[in-house]
Amino acid sequence: MKKPELLAPAGSLEKLKTAINFGADAVYLGGSKLNLRAFADNFTDEELKEGLEYAHQRGKKVFVTINVFPHNEDLEGIEEYLINLHSMGVDAIIVSDPGIIMTAREVVPELEIHLSTQANNVNWKSAIFWHKQGVKRIVLARELSLKEVEELTEKIPESCDIEAFVHGSMCMAYSGRCVISNYMTGRDSNRGQCAQPCRYKYYLVEEKRPGEYFPVFEDDKGAYILNSKDLCMIEHIPELIQSGIYSFKIEGRMKSSYYVAAIVKSYRQAIDAYFEDPQGYKFQKKWLDNLMKVSHREYFTGFYFDDPNKQKYENSSYIRDYDIVGLVRGYDKATGIATIEQKNKVFEGDKVEVLRAVGDNFEITLDNMKNKQGEKIESAPSAQMIFTVNVETELKEGDMLIKDKESKNS
């Protein structure tokens, strides 16, 4: 049984490094053109070169999204862009449009092509069709059950890899093909500009009673609203592996570095635990605990277990129980002094949890807080300010300090 790839989102260079440091085998990101996250911190050519070097030095891969549905004007310069990506050493491109696939095969035939989930591949014959067009990997539509995935992987050639989302935001439209944003805001969701109107709070108004707003809510027969819960398959790693999925994909190029670190760490630990002892594998609650701490909507298992009616629900709010408050930039073993970059306001004497790439989380207390000038301070209120604290437990560069939002300041 082939060990699956863990594929993480990289919305910025910092997030790329975080994903790799916390255990991702590969990352996917948006370059300077034609990707569906136009408002993410997409990579310039210089950043992409640095990211590729960082990943390749550590034996990891980088995939670049070119997954828009391009209009005529979007195709201008596509040949040069593809050649540039190939020359930089990009490991694969993720594409949804046949025209871009055809162009890639013409100008960079050696560059690996992955079919985006936007192409809505939901059956094995379509997978074989795309594979014959030169596509190495199929990113499945989110609307498939595990039973359908198993049948698909059994019937396609071994040379065709299957990738599927296992965690993150879901879309109320069919694998992202939605035009509500276009109509409501003038921002084209299929050209990277989605305004996410499915997350808005809606009320009904009857035309003869203006000003009377009727709430939209869920009852025992289902929900009548657009937004979706978040996918989470951390409790079903064996089923995912046995289905034949090669790449486990995490959604979230617009999410924080903390999100990337926590999600990647939990799935890395779970996958590794399964392959260390498939027969004795047991789910560990600590994996889910990490996922519960990051900002998320209520979790569910999507369409994997033939229960799609649970996708829609009445509350579009995020659950945000924990914040990242600092990033460790250095630690002096001789003095026990840690240098921290502030990420959210934190106070002298606060108890915080340390999220580390390897090993379990643990708790420390921030004592003797000082600013960069060595002056005693009661809190670190300014974004990205550098401060020091005394910590008995040795910290490592890159450790993340997170804090329960409900905990009281000392």
Side-chain angles (χ1 to χ4, degrees):
M1 190 178 298
K2 190 160 56 173
K3 191 172 186 177
E5 169 190 270
L6 181 57
L7 176 59
S12 68
L13 184 58
E14 177 190 357
K15 295 170 192 176
L16 178 150
K17 293 178 179 179
T18 297
I20 290 172
N21 293 343
F22 276 79
D25 298 305
V27 296
Y28 64 100
L29 55 87
S32 58
K33 298 180 67 171
L34 302 176
N35 81 88
L36 281 176
R37 291 292 183 269
F39 300 109
D41 295 327
N42 292 310
F43 285 63
T44 63
D45 284 354
E46 291 72 24
E47 289 171 330
L48 181 53
K49 288 176 183 176
E50 183 178 343
L52 283 162
E53 183 179 2
Y54 191 88
H56 291 166
Q57 284 178 347
R58 291 157 178 80
K60 312 300 182 181
K61 294 183 177 182
V62 176
F63 309 143
V64 173
T65 58
I66 312 179
N67 54 347
V68 299
F69 294 115
H71 290 230
N72 290 335
E73 63 267 26
D74 297 321
L75 294 173
E76 185 176 346
I78 183 65
E79 291 87 354
E80 293 81 1
Y81 183 53
L82 288 167
I83 292 169
N84 188 42
L85 292 178
H86 181 50
S87 67
M88 282 193 283
V90 166
D91 295 285
I93 53 174
I94 305 172
V95 186
S96 59
D97 180 72
I100 296 180
I101 292 174
M102 180 179 68
T103 305
R105 293 198 65 193
E106 290 170 352
V107 300
V108 282
E110 304 87 4
L111 182 56
E112 189 169 300
I113 299 172
H114 297 175
L115 186 74
S116 170
T117 189
Q118 303 294 125
N120 310 126
N121 196 118
V122 293
N123 65 74
W124 62 271
K125 282 206 168 185
S126 291
I128 292 175
F129 167 82
W130 287 114
H131 191 49
K132 288 181 177 179
Q133 308 312 307
V135 173
K136 167 63 177 172
R137 180 184 298 189
I138 309 293
V139 187
L140 295 178
R142 290 175 171 94
E143 292 74 23
L144 291 175
S145 68
L146 274 177
K147 182 179 179 181
E148 290 176 305
V149 174
E150 289 170 3
E151 182 180 0
L152 185 149
T153 56
E154 288 173 359
K155 292 185 175 181
I156 63 173
E158 287 187 9
S159 55
C160 181
D161 292 335
I162 293 298
E163 177 179 308
F165 283 94
V166 300
H167 192 95
S169 296
M170 297 283 279
C171 184
M172 51 73 61
Y174 210 95
S175 280
R177 290 199 175 194
C178 175
V179 293
I180 298 177
S181 177
N182 302 51
Y183 287 114
M184 291 186 67
T185 70
R187 285 164 49 175
D188 191 338
S189 56
N190 293 303
R191 297 169 83 183
Q193 301 170 9
C194 183
Q196 294 194 316
C198 56
R199 309 298 190 191
Y200 299 173
K201 183 178 287 186
Y202 290 93
Y203 294 89
L204 293 176
V205 178
E206 197 273 324
E207 64 176 344
K208 295 183 179 179
R209 286 181 278 186
E212 293 187 36
Y213 299 98
F214 300 92
V216 182
F217 58 90
E218 183 180 82
D219 60 21
D220 58 0
K221 295 181 180 178
Y224 309 96
I225 200 163
L226 303 177
N227 61 80
S228 171
K229 299 179 182 180
D230 280 1
L231 177 65
C232 177
M233 290 292 286
I234 193 67
E235 297 182 72
H236 302 282
I237 295 299
E239 295 99 312
L240 289 171
I241 292 171
Q242 291 158 17
S243 73
I245 296 171
Y246 170 66
S247 182
F248 290 5
K249 189 169 193 172
I250 298 167
E251 183 277 337
R253 277 195 284 148
M254 301 287 282
K255 302 291 179 64
S256 68
S257 293
Y258 168 39
Y259 169 95
V260 172
I263 308 302
V264 168
K265 178 178 180 178
S266 286
Y267 280 90
R268 175 80 280 149
Q269 290 181 328
I271 293 168
D272 289 349
Y274 179 86
F275 277 86
E276 285 170 8
D277 185 8
Q279 300 305 316
Y281 173 85
K282 290 183 180 180
F283 171 75
Q284 298 184 36
K285 184 176 177 294
K286 66 181 180 181
W287 302 332
L288 182 59
D289 287 344
N290 267 339
L291 307 188
M292 297 301 291
K293 290 172 183 174
V294 300
S295 178
H296 66 283
R297 295 181 178 89
E298 185 180 345
Y299 286 134
F300 80 134
T301 55
F303 293 86
Y304 279 119
F305 297 103
D306 287 324
D307 199 5
N309 290 330
K310 289 197 299 185
Q311 180 167 353
K312 300 169 188 173
Y313 73 128
E314 81 282 6
N315 188 350
S316 63
S317 300
Y318 279 97
I319 301 167
R320 294 183 174 94
D321 293 335
Y322 277 71
D323 276 332
I324 178 172
V325 294
L327 191 64
V328 176
R329 292 305 186 190
Y331 184 81
D332 188 329
K333 295 181 183 179
T335 62
I337 295 176
T339 301
I340 311 295
E341 179 186 340
Q342 191 260 33
K343 293 297 184 181
N344 276 293
K345 189 172 183 178
V346 64
F347 292 82
E348 162 82 14
D350 272 352
K351 290 184 177 179
V352 299
E353 194 172 313
V354 179
L355 176 67
R356 178 174 289 175
V358 178
D360 293 338
N361 296 4
F362 57 93
E363 194 174 78
I364 61 171
T365 300
L366 303 181
D367 290 327
N368 195 25
M369 184 181 287
K370 295 181 180 180
N371 62 20
K372 195 159 57 171
Q373 289 73 38
E375 301 165 335
K376 192 79 170 65
I377 55 176
E378 295 299 318
S379 68
S382 305
Q384 294 185 302
M385 72 175 286
I386 301 297
F387 64 94
T388 62
V389 289
N390 282 50
V391 181
E392 291 185 3
T393 306
E394 181 181 346
L395 300 182
K396 297 180 179 180
E397 184 176 355
D399 284 350
M400 291 186 176
L401 309 183
I402 62 175
K403 181 186 171 188
D404 186 346
K405 294 175 74 171
E406 296 299 318
S407 67
K408 301 296 183 183
N409 300 321
S410 300

